[in-house]
Amino acid sequence: MILEVRAVAPFYKNGFVVGCERTHEAVVIDPGDEADQLLAAVRDRGVDVTHILLTHAHIDHITGVAQVKDALDVPVCLHRDDLPLYEHAVEQGKMFGFAVRQPPPIDVYYDLSPIYFGDYEVRVHHTPGHCPGGVCLEIGKRGRGEGGRGSGKGERGSGEGGSSEGRHLFVGDTLFAGSIGRTDLPGGNYEVLMRSITDVLFHLGDTSIVHPGHGPDTTIGRERETNPFVLEYLSSA
Ligand SMILES: [Zn+2]
Ligand SMILES: [Zn+2]
């Protein structure tokens, strides 16, 4: 898998280019103020971007959508429950004292069907709590885990560790290395967030690699065992 990560001031929000090493098809995830750097990575790696995928519509994750859409002219995808946030991008910017360009209309609302690029597939899991339309974008090789998800065959039998090998989770601001997303912004809800983390993300397997919207990578296993916010929630449940 081709993976390029960029983050710049003031938000140091991670933007990603994820591509197929064989076909060079790729997706751009959460283009923000680092849009120039992401577009440079697209050129340098020679990838052909098919979608702009958004984990959610907080301002730091969408300030670069207009620029990337202008440059690449590919569909922009978002969960429908974050449309109000997305449509108020300019107002969100004002809250932080930034002049923000209104992003282009959403082309695709996530549903249950996967999105494909090259040999890879993106499965979308709704993980509200940090905001209403937050999602986890699960990226892995196409067709992997088939039968595991639907019928419960294979994947369960081989154990969670083995089955999640090579699985990458782009979780937005739901879960961080050693921390969790804030829930004090409009539409945030602590209980809902903790259920998204423990009921949705944790079922994607301990070896799944987590790429948060800010800060370093981690794994589901590490967060399950050491994340103080998770441990506190689980001990009080
Ligand atoms: Zn956020
Ligand atoms: Zn963020």
Side-chain angles (χ1 to χ4, degrees):
M1 194 176 85
I2 294 167
L3 175 62
E4 296 287 340
V5 190
R6 300 289 185 275
V8 300
F11 295 114
Y12 292 102
K13 186 275 318 158
N14 295 324
F16 305 92
V17 176
V18 185
C20 171
E21 65 279 12
R22 187 180 68 82
T23 68
H24 288 88
E25 285 188 328
V27 294
V28 171
I29 299 176
D30 285 0
D33 290 349
E34 75 298 339
D36 280 337
Q37 287 84 346
L38 293 175
L39 289 170
V42 166
R43 283 192 299 273
D44 290 348
R45 298 303 297 259
V47 293
D48 188 12
V49 174
T50 62
H51 295 82
I52 297 166
L53 304 179
L54 303 177
T55 62
H56 66 299
H58 280 148
I59 192 66
D60 48 329
H61 297 254
I62 61 174
T63 49
V65 174
Q67 189 186 343
V68 173
K69 172 92 179 181
D70 281 352
L72 304 176
D73 193 25
V74 295
V76 180
C77 312
L78 179 72
H79 193 284
R80 188 178 292 276
D81 292 353
D82 258 14
L83 186 59
L85 274 173
Y86 189 82
E87 287 180 328
H88 289 88
V90 173
E91 289 83 347
Q92 280 196 69
K94 279 189 189 138
M95 269 175 51
F96 290 97
F98 295 105
V100 172
R101 186 177 156 200
Q102 183 61 36
I106 295 299
D107 301 292
V108 177
Y109 295 104
Y110 296 126
D111 56 23
L112 294 175
S113 46
I115 292 165
Y116 298 102
F117 62 97
D119 296 336
Y120 289 83
E121 65 183 5
V122 184
R123 298 186 191 193
V124 184
H125 306 275
H126 188 202
T127 51
H130 172 65
C131 58
V135 298
C136 163
L137 303 168
E138 174 196 349
I139 299 183
K141 278 273 167 77
R142 221 187 253 237
R144 213 181 30 97
E146 242 161 51
R149 211 49 74 89
S151 66
K153 261 197 292 177
E155 217 172 10
R156 286 246 173 256
S158 63
E160 235 169 348
S163 67
S164 59
E165 207 73 58
R167 192 179 285 173
H168 292 258
L169 310 178
F170 296 84
V171 299
D173 294 351
T174 300
L175 178 67
F176 301 112
S179 188
I180 58 171
R182 58 192 285 189
T183 53
D184 58 328
L185 296 168
N189 183 305
Y190 171 79
E191 274 300 321
V192 173
L193 179 79
M194 295 316 291
R195 280 203 299 277
S196 287
I197 292 171
T198 57
D199 289 351
V200 180
L201 296 184
F202 282 7
H203 284 135
L204 298 174
D206 278 352
T207 60
S208 292
I209 297 164
V210 177
H211 304 275
H214 303 258
D217 291 354
T218 182
T219 63
I220 289 295
R222 191 183 305 154
E223 296 313 308
R224 186 204 299 277
E225 282 164 21
T226 65
N227 187 306
F229 299 91
V230 168
L231 294 176
E232 185 191 320
Y233 172 77
L234 291 176
S235 70
S236 66

